[in-house]
């Protein structure tokens, strides 16, 4: 395995730029916007709400406007970030919106955003009181001082986006630090926001203006290639233009702490975000433990790290990860099921798992259950073990990374 990999734009950052561009005054131009289906769902929602969205020379161009009532229910597709973050904006508009999504999204918990939004004065109805679709009757909101009960950047972002339209300042306190792309993007678009340790204060009355921004490559997508390169003999990959925001880059520290040969090259700043190239070579990986704040920092990378763990010297233990149970699938269960199919031992519990090291992957039929990160993680397992596997529903990789399989083919042929 060798060559140069270019990744789609970061999914988290793309959602935020699209939402802020749609409510900012003037034009926002986004280069390297994520090609993933989730981020197209956000663009379609913003267009249905009145923003003018165009593609020009590979960039997404958004003409912001006052939002208007959509003519039909909004479709967030598979995207938890879209429904949760956009709800914060919708709760403050002078109209009613219904927003839903696919079967997986319809099973994901929404009370975590309904609670703070209703404290701000929002009126939201959900199926069975907690699931999408949500019907949001827009109101004048009030700022709040909110301590997040779960470590969730989506909930933090939802409250901050609602705070943009609220009377009074909005304060969000985090139990552990989560990705801070919303805070950085809000500042870029002109909001008055202060961040002190884990307390974020957004001053009321922000006036946002359109920006020209470049979306860094998605480090969570890079994770699959990092793991592949670490596992494949003599692999040597250059991953180009990856986002290296410190609230995301714990992945690199964790891999290096386990013996990974990863070098960070040519770091620059763009739109308040760090971006750089990664050189990764095949390495002997010792194994490790993911728990506490580290679990929150690595939450999207755990499927890829689990594959690495099975092939490592001492295995991987994951604790404090009950959030994995409410992702696109119950990822503890989908990992367990598919590892079992490949003959890999794994012990699971309610909030984590342990995978012993030095295991051999066996040929199997994998069931992605429509979860993009499961499909991509097991593609790497199959490749690293050099066993033929069928991955049912592999097309779901397009949720975050439509070019995943073609990129993989290109660097392995
Ligand atoms: C995201 C936050 C995380 C992450 C998701 C993207 C974001 O979710 O798992 O893929 O863009 O803010 P939670 O906020 O539910 O932890």
């Amino acid at each position: 395995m060798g060559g140069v990999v270019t990744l789609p734009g970061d999914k988290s950052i793309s959602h935020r730029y699209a939402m802020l561009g749609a409510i900012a005054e003037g034009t926002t131009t986004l280069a390297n916007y994520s090609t993933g289906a989730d981020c197209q769902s956000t663009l379609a929602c913003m267009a249905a709400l009145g923003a003018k969205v165009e593609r020009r020379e590979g960039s997404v161009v958004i003409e912001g406007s006052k939002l208007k009532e959509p003519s039909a229910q909004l479709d967030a597709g598979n995207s938890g970030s879209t429904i949760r973050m956009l709800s914060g904006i919708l709760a403050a508009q002078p109209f009613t919106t219904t927003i839903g999504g696919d079967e997986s999204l319809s099973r994901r918990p929404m009370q975590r955003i309904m609670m703070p939004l209703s404290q701000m004065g929002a009126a939201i109805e959900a199926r069975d009181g907690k699931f999408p679709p949500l019907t949001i009757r827009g109101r004048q909101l009030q700022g709040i001082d909110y301590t997040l009960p779960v470590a969730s950047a989506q909930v933090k972002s939802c409250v901050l986006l609602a705070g943009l339209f609220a009377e009074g300042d909005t304060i969000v306190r985090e139990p552990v630090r989560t990705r801070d792309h919303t805070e950085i993007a809000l500042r870029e678009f002109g909001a008055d926001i202060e961040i002190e340790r884990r307390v974020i204060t957004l001053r009321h009355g922000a006036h946002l203006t359109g920006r020209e921004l470049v979306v860094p490559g998605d480090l969570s997508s890079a994770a699959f290639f990092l793991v592949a390169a670490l596992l494949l003999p003599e692999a040597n990959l250059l991953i180009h233009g990856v986002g290296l925001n410190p609230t995301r880059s714990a992945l690199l520290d964790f891999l290096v702490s386990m013996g990974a040969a990863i070098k960070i090259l040519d770091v620059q700043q763009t739109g308040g975000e760090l971006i750089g190239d990664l050189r990764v070579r095949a390495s002997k990986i010792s194994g490790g433990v993911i728990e506490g704040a580290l679990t929150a920092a690595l939450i999207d990378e755990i499927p890829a790290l689990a594959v690495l763990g099975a092939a490592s010297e001492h295995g991987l233990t994951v604790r404090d990860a009950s959030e994995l149970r409410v992702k696109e699938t119950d990822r503890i269960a989908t990992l367990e099921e598919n590892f079992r199919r490949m003959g890999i031992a794994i012990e699971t519990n309610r909030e984590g798992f342990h995978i012993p090291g030095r295991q051999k992957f066996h040929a199997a039929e994998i069931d992605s259950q429509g979860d993009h990160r499961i499909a991509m993680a097991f593609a790497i397992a199959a490749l690293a073990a050099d066993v033929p596997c069928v991955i049912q529903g592999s097309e779901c990789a397009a949720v975050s990374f439509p070019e995943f399989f073609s990129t993989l083919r290109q660097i392995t042929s």
Side-chain angles (χ1 to χ4, degrees):
M1 165 178 272
V4 182
V5 172
T6 306
L7 303 161
D10 186 86
K11 185 157 87 70
S12 292
I13 297 175
S14 295
H15 287 303
R16 286 153 172 86
Y17 284 176
M19 289 182 201
L20 292 175
I23 57 173
E25 193 179 318
T27 307
T28 289
T29 305
L30 304 175
N32 199 38
Y33 188 83
S34 166
T35 49
D38 272 9
C39 297
Q40 312 316 305
S41 296
T42 292
L43 284 181
C45 288
M46 301 327 290
L49 287 161
K52 205 168 124 207
V53 179
E54 277 178 15
R55 288 183 193 269
R56 250 182 253 158
E57 291 156 23
S59 289
V60 168
V61 182
I62 303 173
E63 209 61 58
S65 75
K66 233 183 169 34
L67 300 185
K68 66 166 179 47
E69 184 161 4
S71 54
Q73 175 169 325
L74 297 183
D75 183 6
N78 190 244
S79 175
S81 299
T82 306
I83 192 168
R84 293 203 181 112
M85 297 200 291
L86 186 52
S87 292
I89 295 176
L90 296 174
Q93 304 306 313
F95 51 78
T96 298
T97 320
T98 301
I99 180 164
D102 70 7
E103 200 200 319
S104 153
L105 191 70
S106 303
R107 281 186 263 116
R108 297 185 66 186
M110 294 296 137
Q111 306 105 307
R112 54 182 64 196
I113 57 152
M114 293 168 70
M115 246 170 356
L117 289 177
S118 64
Q119 282 179 34
M120 295 177 87
I124 306 181
E125 285 154 36
R127 183 176 60 80
D128 294 340
K130 51 186 171 187
F131 298 119
L134 304 176
T135 296
I136 304 174
R137 291 173 221 290
R139 297 265 172 86
Q140 176 58 57
L141 303 181
Q142 309 298 319
I144 45 168
D145 184 336
Y146 192 67
T147 301
L148 293 178
V150 275
S152 166
Q154 292 174 355
V155 178
K156 169 176 66 175
S157 304
C158 169
V159 175
L160 291 172
L161 291 172
L164 283 174
F165 301 91
E167 278 171 356
D169 299 344
T170 295
I171 300 172
V172 182
R173 298 171 197 269
E174 296 194 275
V176 299
R177 206 161 169 229
T178 65
R179 61 192 75 192
D180 63 358
H181 305 301
T182 301
E183 296 89 308
I184 293 173
L186 278 168
R187 192 171 276 156
E188 285 298 310
F189 279 84
D192 185 356
I193 186 163
E194 273 165 38
I195 304 141
E196 224 186 288
R197 289 172 60 86
R198 285 178 275 107
V199 182
I200 303 128
T201 305
L202 175 69
R203 305 268 169 231
H204 70 282
H207 180 82
L208 305 185
T209 33
R211 290 290 322 272
E212 254 182 55
L213 294 160
V214 179
V215 182
D218 196 323
L219 183 58
S220 299
S221 297
F224 301 104
F225 293 102
L226 289 169
V227 169
L230 292 171
L231 290 179
L232 288 176
E234 289 169 38
N236 184 348
L237 271 189
L238 182 73
I239 309 180
H240 180 67
V242 189
L244 296 172
N245 177 311
T247 61
R248 298 282 294 283
S249 61
L251 170 68
L252 302 177
D253 300 330
F254 182 64
L255 289 172
V256 169
S257 77
M258 293 196 296
I262 298 176
K263 277 198 188 132
I264 301 177
L265 314 163
D266 194 21
V267 179
Q268 297 176 26
Q269 247 209 17
T270 175
E273 295 281 354
L274 292 179
I275 186 168
D277 295 345
L278 300 176
R279 165 76 63 192
V280 54
R281 290 192 169 84
S283 309
K284 189 164 175 176
I285 298 296
S286 60
V289 178
I290 301 174
E291 61 187 346
L294 186 58
T295 302
L298 296 178
I299 199 75
D300 289 340
E301 288 78 62
I302 287 175
L305 291 171
V307 169
L308 186 65
S312 68
E313 289 295 297
H314 307 299
L316 180 76
T317 302
V318 176
R319 303 195 183 105
D320 309 315
S322 53
E323 276 295 299
L324 285 179
R325 297 237 178 243
V326 290
K327 292 294 177 190
E328 286 82 334
T329 57
D330 171 345
R331 285 191 175 148
I332 296 177
T334 32
L335 283 172
E336 181 178 29
E337 166 65 20
N338 286 307
F339 276 133
R340 213 178 40 70
R341 290 182 182 206
M342 292 190 94
I344 298 288
I346 173 171
E347 292 155 33
T348 65
N349 54 57
R350 214 179 51 80
E351 33 189 66
F353 57 85
H354 172 69
I355 302 183
R358 293 187 179 213
Q359 299 198 64
K360 283 247 167 307
F361 298 96
H362 297 282
E365 188 156 319
I366 300 300
D367 186 358
S368 70
Q369 295 185 28
D371 185 332
H372 57 131
R373 299 203 202 280
I374 296 294
M376 293 188 278
F378 281 91
I380 302 305
L383 192 64
D386 201 16
V387 293
C389 286
V390 173
I391 302 176
Q392 292 165 356
S394 60
E395 66 281 356
C396 67
V399 160
S400 59
F401 196 169
E403 309 83 3
F404 174 75
F405 285 104
S406 58
T407 308
L408 199 56
R409 211 169 293 128
Q410 176 204 317
I411 56 174
T412 49
S413 56

